[in-house]
Amino acid sequence: MLGNLGKSLTNTMKKLAGMTVIDEKTIKEVVKDIQRALIQSDVNISLVLNLSKKIEDRALNEKPPKGITPREHVITIVYEEMVNLLGSEPHELEINDKPFKIMFLGLQGSGKTTTIGKLCRFLQKKGFSPAVVSTDTWRPAAYEQLRQLTEEMQISLYGDPDNKDAVDLARKGLKKFKNQKIIIFDTAGRHKEEKDLLDEMEKLSSVIEPNEAMLVIDGTIGQQAGEQAKAFASTTDVGSIVITKLDGSAKGGGALSAVAEIGAPIKFIGTGERVDDFEVFDPERFISRLLG
Ligand code: GDP
């Protein structure tokens, strides 16, 4: 379990290597290194301070369990404290209702539409055949983008580029697909004013009554993730987060602010533009990446 993390903290942990007793000064140095790594990964500063304080307190006060070296003990504490925030196991998407309604939320450009394609493929591989409803009346190309994506995968799509009423589209989509097992709703990611966008999400949510509201966050945006998540979470009960664009150099630490802000787990990550560039979120790998 600690293999990856141990490796990613190699330099930091070298300082601890071979020590049988770890003194306060060493622990403080190690905590500083961890802080540096997290800040470089774009993790929110108050989150970093919070985490590192807990790590320091525990490392100074808790005795390593029998058979565990002080060095391994510090690594374990770091890991446990990160896991407290992110969870230790991947969170499953549980399809436990019929129709199971998934409502996507996210700013324009975050990767929402692409992610819907990816989730469809993911669900198809599990033997489901989801249907998609397009309610984005704001971006002219949104319907066409979804049409192409779903056509390639032979997935049913409901939308009407001439209808400018998102709530009406959602209602009609619900009716059309009421016998489907899974319905995925795409929504707008931009309006003239942010408030209008949020109002629309609230209305859509009350009509769709999603089993799962999935918030898509661009992994490269850094600190704005927290505010974005808070705004969307004020419109509906966000059940999961998808972080996109983790194929680049961004480590996605900014997205942790979203998790800390709204308390919803990250369930998937996007790792590229293609429909298969999609993974179930693995907390341990993510933590290793943040600290590496
Ligand atoms: P939407 O406005 O939220 O629906 O965003 P789109 O799905 O249209 O995506 C915006 C851009 O981000 C497109 O160019 C996508 O190809 C790109 N994109 C989406 N997800 C990823 C990802 O995981 N990695 C990379 N590199 N690009 C992505």
Side-chain angles (χ1 to χ4, degrees), residues 34 52 71 93 98 215 228 244 248 250:
I34 292 165
S52 47
R71 172 172 177 270
L93 176 63
K98 183 174 176 274
L215 175 64
Q228 247 180 53
T244 60

Side-chain angles (χ1 to χ4, degrees), residues 197-258:
L197 175 68
L198 297 176
D199 281 350
E200 182 168 298
M201 293 309 113
E202 202 167 331
K203 282 190 203 128
L204 280 173
S205 169
S206 67
V207 167
I208 296 169
E209 297 185 318
N211 300 85
E212 181 107 3
M214 252 188 203
L215 175 64
V216 178
I217 294 210
D218 180 334
T220 66
I221 62 165
Q223 298 305 316
Q224 301 149 44
E227 284 304 306
Q228 247 180 53
K230 205 163 119 189
F232 279 110
S234 72
T235 72
T236 185
D237 184 10
V238 174
S240 50
I241 296 174
V242 181
I243 307 177
T244 60
K245 309 186 191 180
L246 288 184
D247 44 311
S249 57
K251 291 187 169 175
L256 280 190
S257 313

Side-chain angles (χ1 to χ4, degrees), residues 8-252:
S8 70
L9 280 171
T10 309
N11 286 331
T12 307
M13 292 307 158
K14 261 187 199 148
K15 292 184 183 160
L16 300 173
M19 290 187 175
T20 44
V21 178
I22 294 182
D23 60 16
E24 190 169 337
K25 183 167 163 276
T26 322
I27 286 175
K28 289 209 149 115
E29 266 175 39
V30 170
V31 168
K32 275 243 141 53
D33 287 344
I34 292 165
Q35 284 180 342
R36 215 169 291 136
L38 291 175
I39 288 167
Q40 272 169 11
S41 297
D42 242 346
V43 179
N44 177 284
I45 188 88
S46 63
L47 258 180
V48 173
L49 293 178
N50 215 328
L51 264 172
S52 47
K53 183 166 181 336
K54 282 191 199 146
I55 292 168
E56 188 173 311
D57 282 352
R58 288 188 54 192
L60 287 172
N61 295 315
E62 286 177 21
K63 272 208 162 65
K66 249 202 161 97
I68 291 201
T69 65
R71 172 172 177 270
E72 284 165 345
H73 187 226
V74 176
I75 301 177
T76 307
I77 290 171
V78 173
Y79 180 76
E80 282 176 0
E81 288 303 327
M82 299 289 288
V83 156
N84 263 343
L85 188 65
L86 286 167
S88 59
E89 298 295 326
H91 287 267
E92 295 268 331
L93 176 63
E94 269 183 66
I95 313 292
N96 52 14
D97 203 0
K98 183 174 176 274
F100 189 83
K101 295 166 286 180
I102 303 174
M103 174 176 166
F104 268 73
L105 302 155
L107 288 187
Q108 180 161 318
S110 59
K112 203 154 22 93
T113 312
T114 311
T115 304
I116 288 176
K118 293 174 176 181
L119 183 65
C120 283
R121 172 60 58 87
F122 175 86
L123 290 168
Q124 274 186 330
K125 282 188 194 157
K126 289 194 171 285
F128 295 108
S129 56
V132 176
V133 178
S134 167
T135 74
D136 183 355
T137 59
W138 198 257
R139 186 162 61 107
Y143 176 76
E144 187 49 30
Q145 190 184 347
L146 268 182
R147 198 188 59 74
Q148 283 177 19
L149 264 174
T150 49
E151 202 170 278
E152 275 166 30
M153 292 188 272
Q154 299 187 322
I155 278 172
S156 311
L157 171 69
Y158 173 75
D160 177 359
D162 295 326
N163 185 348
K164 296 293 168 211
D165 182 343
V167 172
D168 185 51
L169 284 163
R171 274 206 189 96
K172 289 180 171 151
L174 270 174
K175 205 164 157 198
K176 182 173 164 69
F177 292 136
K178 64 176 188 300
N179 293 322
Q180 298 275 345
K181 195 155 170 99
I182 302 176
I183 316 175
I184 299 175
F185 294 82
D186 192 14
T187 61
R190 190 173 74 106
H191 259 243
K192 251 201 193 104
E193 303 277 342
E194 189 188 88
K195 187 180 172 307
D196 296 336
L197 175 68
L198 297 176
D199 281 350
E200 182 168 298
M201 293 309 113
E202 202 167 331
K203 282 190 203 128
L204 280 173
S205 169
S206 67
V207 167
I208 296 169
E209 297 185 318
N211 300 85
E212 181 107 3
M214 252 188 203
L215 175 64
V216 178
I217 294 210
D218 180 334
T220 66
I221 62 165
Q223 298 305 316
Q224 301 149 44
E227 284 304 306
Q228 247 180 53
K230 205 163 119 189
F232 279 110
S234 72
T235 72
T236 185
D237 184 10
V238 174
S240 50
I241 296 174
V242 181
I243 307 177
T244 60
K245 309 186 191 180
L246 288 184
D247 44 311
S249 57
K251 291 187 169 175

Side-chain angles (χ1 to χ4, degrees), residues 254-265:
L256 280 190
S257 313
V259 177
E261 194 69 59
I262 65 173

